Amino acid sequence: MPESPFWTQDSLEDLVSARSKIMGAGVWAAARPDDRPVISFAGGLPDVPSLPDEELLRATRAVLDTERREALQYGGTFGPQPLREAIAERSSGIEGIPLTAEHVTVTSGAAHGIGIACEALIDPGDTVLVESPTFPGSLRTFVSFGAQIEALPMDDEGLLVDPAEEALKRLADEGRRVKLLYLIPTHQNPVGSTLPLARRDQLLELARDHRVLLMEDDAYGELWFGDEPPPPSLFSLSGGELAIKVASFSKIIATGLRLGWNLAPPTLITRMAALRYDMGSSPYLGRTVAEMIRNGDLDRHVERLRAIYRRKLDRLCEAIDEHCGDYVTYQRPGGGFFVWLGLHQGLSAIEVQRVANEKGVLIGAGPHFFADGNATQHLRLAFSYTPVEEIEEGVHRLGEALREVAASSAVK
Amino acid sequence: MPESPFWTQDSLEDLVSARSKIMGAGVWAAARPDDRPVISFAGGLPDVPSLPDEELLRATRAVLDTERREALQYGGTFGPQPLREAIAERSSGIEGIPLTAEHVTVTSGAAHGIGIACEALIDPGDTVLVESPTFPGSLRTFVSFGAQIEALPMDDEGLLVDPAEEALKRLADEGRRVKLLYLIPTHQNPVGSTLPLARRDQLLELARDHRVLLMEDDAYGELWFGDEPPPPSLFSLSGGELAIKVASFSKIIATGLRLGWNLAPPTLITRMAALRYDMGSSPYLGRTVAEMIRNGDLDRHVERLRAIYRRKLDRLCEAIDEHCGDYVTYQRPGGGFFVWLGLHQGLSAIEVQRVANEKGVLIGAGPHFFADGNATQHLRLAFSYTPVEEIEEGVHRLGEALREVAASSAVK
């Protein structure tokens, strides 16, 4: 046995793939709890007390009683058939178009769903259009496949169509191949905006004309708080033809399952399933969740979650108005996990984040969410994970941080 | 909505990645049960009656009682930490070298473990050396990454070292970059051979001299039937330096979990975890299996499985000797799921498979397992899945098929 490792990070450089060279040795670890008595608005994590452990255990018992053999054996790379069928039936109701299992592939969560779409679509040098700001985890995946990223501007209602069209024309003129337009049309992360119906239709026209797929990240779509659901998905509006809708059980059951689904045209579902090397997502887990859909537990749970998150958002907005109103503007989101604060002129997001952190409140700083990494005057508050009784105190501390930073900015 | 699909398999060709073009639209679906009263020796599937459903349910309940919050939240791409630790401790005993969680990453099964190693190591055009014959699922994955495959010859004890060395020298002379040598050293699939200790040491010397990683597929390593375990793994013999050992809970708990692990030098573990886009394998499942390791259920179950499969193998060998002895030769494996039959001169494997199928017995034909697809005179019998009471009847039918094919071959 040699004294020092044979394969060091340096000597490995000689052995690893181009993709590994892009990604290096930085590993995404789940956040560890902070030892201090902090209040966190940092991560887009679900509410903990309501995690449906009893429903999971009940469904697991039912599956092991009645589908033991199938649940404990291979299920194929399309995904466990009963879950595909349960998703298709449930989605037909949500989407308002008739869907079958052929439109569904089961994934190991939305991040995996985005990844397998990239495996099927992206070659190094291809271009991916994204909203700016957007979810940085997805950017990381696109970049790992060697994609060139083009950021598109948004307004309060979401992606702007004209600049998207101009970008598509310009990139075509430059001879660049655009494969995907990635967007989070409903309860956008980090902004919270929901794209109006008219813009959705315009985007679909663009996608058809330019033969570009829309990748619609819908991790938060079911968590709406108003009297009416948000507009239909891009997938639904195109009759299931022009978009991949990436969805997940992470935010409506638990992130720790690692289970989700993609809706897409059957031809594309097949291409994604064909190159999976993992022999498919877990039939054991998949059949458990199919049971939760069939027995009604999932729909009842989603109803409960809407009320829980609506109440947290109410509390957050009241507290912002009371403690931060002099320093920020914001737009109340119709659903999802996030409120996006615009800081008044002269306040630095990074500086506010630092001072708030010292006061024991964790928040997301805007620059993190921009593909170009440019500093911006924004903060993201995730209200989903924070216990409802801590929200007011957390925002109170943020208000103090804003006051301090404003005072020291005024002095300078 | 257009009358015909917008993205057809043909028009999609314009949009998909190079990797998708290699793999096309053929999807691996789990085998469906045959409606006929067939006896199957076809798939390497575990014994059904012994699948540990009660142990899984007990562990699930314990995890939801005591680790609910952690089990239902993100766990990071290295894998759930308690499972990494439980695997490291258990593997330290099995491997005979001290291992920590740093040597372990949790995967979604061995096929996924092989895939993420390819993501980290293989660029299109790289060469992968493989045993011939070998497991075709792994070949499929290597090819999907654009690897060139070089098949290496084996004898009754496994991979031959001298031809491997000659191949490495020749490929170096040709300027080809060999990244991996993939082998199944213990209870090889399909052959059943186990590589002797001396050859393992020689292979490690080769790997060190040529700076090639050994990828050691060990899906069957723990299922040995003799008085003594097989020789230590290549990973263990190199002090954890020169090999990736790919392992799985599929054959010792259930294929339907989709859970496994890779052991590798920590530098390489990091590179594999860094480019996972799926946010890690399921903490919910991972902590359930960690509980089965900690409470001793897994080790007790593996003991039981050894006895179950040993008994099936005994029954199979008796039946082969009685019904097929005039037409085949074979070597009794020391463990695993497979017996590899060599057909006497003049008998076609494909023809025997066809006639046996007509008689209601399913077997694997040799050519399927060779990288070059050449016809061979071999059959693979998987004895793991077949109910013990059907084994004799199944082999009896195979014997009839052999007699018929031999008679018609003699006539020609």
Side-chain angles (χ1 to χ4, degrees), chain A residues 68-143:
Chain A
R68 173 183 172 280
R69 175 189 281 253
E70 297 79 8
L72 296 179
Q73 291 192 2
Y74 294 121
T77 55
F78 278 125
Q81 189 63 14
L83 181 57
R84 295 177 78 201
E85 287 166 7
I87 289 170
E89 191 182 330
R90 185 168 184 267
S91 298
S92 296
I94 293 172
E95 306 292 341
I97 59 172
L99 295 171
T100 68
E102 289 195 322
H103 295 93
V104 182
T105 189
V106 177
T107 66
S108 301
H112 181 253
I114 290 168
I116 64 167
C118 288
E119 300 257 16
L121 295 166
I122 305 297
D123 286 319
D126 284 342
T127 295
V128 173
L129 301 180
V130 302
E131 294 169 307
S132 182
T134 190
F135 173 52
S138 300
L139 288 181
R140 193 172 179 276
T141 298
F142 299 138
V143 168

Side-chain angles (χ1 to χ4, degrees), chain A residues 6-7 13 15 17-19 28 48-49 53 68-69 72 74 77 119-120 123 179 241 255-256 267 271 277 283, chain B residues 6-7 13 15 17-19 28 48-49 53 68 72 74 77 119-120 123 179 241 255-256 267 271 277 283:
Chain A
F6 188 81
W7 293 112
E13 277 300 310
L15 197 73
S17 64
R19 207 165 154 240
W28 181 75
V48 170
D53 46 358
R68 173 183 172 280
R69 175 189 281 253
L72 296 179
Y74 294 121
T77 55
E119 300 257 16
D123 286 319
K179 293 282 184 77
E241 292 278 349
T255 58
T267 47
R271 301 305 284 246
Y277 49 67
Chain B
F6 188 81
W7 293 111
E13 275 302 308
L15 197 73
S17 64
R19 203 161 159 245
W28 181 77
V48 171
D53 47 358
R68 172 182 172 281
L72 296 179
Y74 294 120
T77 55
E119 300 256 16
D123 287 319
K179 292 281 183 79
E241 292 278 351
T255 58
T267 47
R271 301 304 285 245
Y277 49 68

Side-chain angles (χ1 to χ4, degrees), chain A residues 258-316:
Chain A
R258 310 311 311 125
L259 203 70
W261 71 97
N262 284 359
L263 298 180
T267 47
L268 187 56
I269 290 289
T270 300
R271 301 305 284 246
M272 290 189 281
L275 46 66
R276 281 184 72 164
Y277 49 67
D278 62 359
M279 301 179 95
S281 294
S282 168
Y284 175 70
L285 274 186
R287 285 174 180 259
T288 300
V289 169
E291 171 62 19
M292 285 181 66
I293 296 175
R294 288 190 305 257
N295 70 16
D297 273 347
L298 178 62
D299 284 336
R300 279 186 292 272
H301 185 63
V302 170
E303 275 296 331
R304 269 196 304 273
L305 290 179
R306 287 188 189 126
I308 288 169
Y309 292 125
R310 185 191 299 122
R311 185 162 163 249
K312 287 190 176 187
L313 176 61
D314 286 345
R315 192 67 59 94
L316 183 75

Side-chain angles (χ1 to χ4, degrees), chain A residues 1 146 199 207:
Chain A
M1 203 187 307
R199 282 204 206 168

Side-chain angles (χ1 to χ4, degrees), chain A residues 2 6-7 11 14-15, chain B residues 129 152 159 161 164-166 168-169 177-183 198-216 234-235 237-238 240-244 265:
Chain A
F6 188 81
W7 293 112
S11 67
D14 188 36
L15 197 73
Chain B
L129 301 180
L152 299 175
L159 187 65
V161 177
E165 181 166 18
E166 284 157 26
L168 282 165
K169 285 182 178 159
R177 181 75 178 98
V178 180
K179 292 281 183 79
L180 283 179
L181 194 169
Y182 169 77
L183 73 168
R199 283 205 206 168
R200 293 180 189 230
D201 285 333
Q202 290 164 346
L203 271 185
L204 287 167
E205 215 167 300
L206 266 191
R208 191 186 305 272
D209 291 349
H210 290 266
R211 301 186 70 76
V212 166
L213 263 174
L214 301 178
M215 184 190 274
E216 171 175 36
L234 294 158
F235 176 78
L237 290 169
S238 73
E241 292 278 351
L242 301 175
I244 307 176

Side-chain angles (χ1 to χ4, degrees), chain B residues 306-326:
Chain B
R306 288 187 189 125
I308 289 168
Y309 292 126
R310 185 190 300 120
R311 183 159 164 252
K312 288 190 174 187
L313 177 60
D314 286 346
R315 194 65 60 93
L316 183 76
C317 290
E318 287 162 21
I320 294 171
D321 294 343
E322 183 175 344
H323 301 296
C324 308
D326 292 345

Side-chain angles (χ1 to χ4, degrees), chain B residues 155-157 191-194 317 329-334 338-340:
Chain B
D155 67 9
D156 282 354
E157 296 190 312
V191 166
S193 58
T194 290
C317 290
T329 54
Y330 71 99
Q331 181 177 275
R332 185 187 161 103
F338 309 108
V339 169
W340 186 241

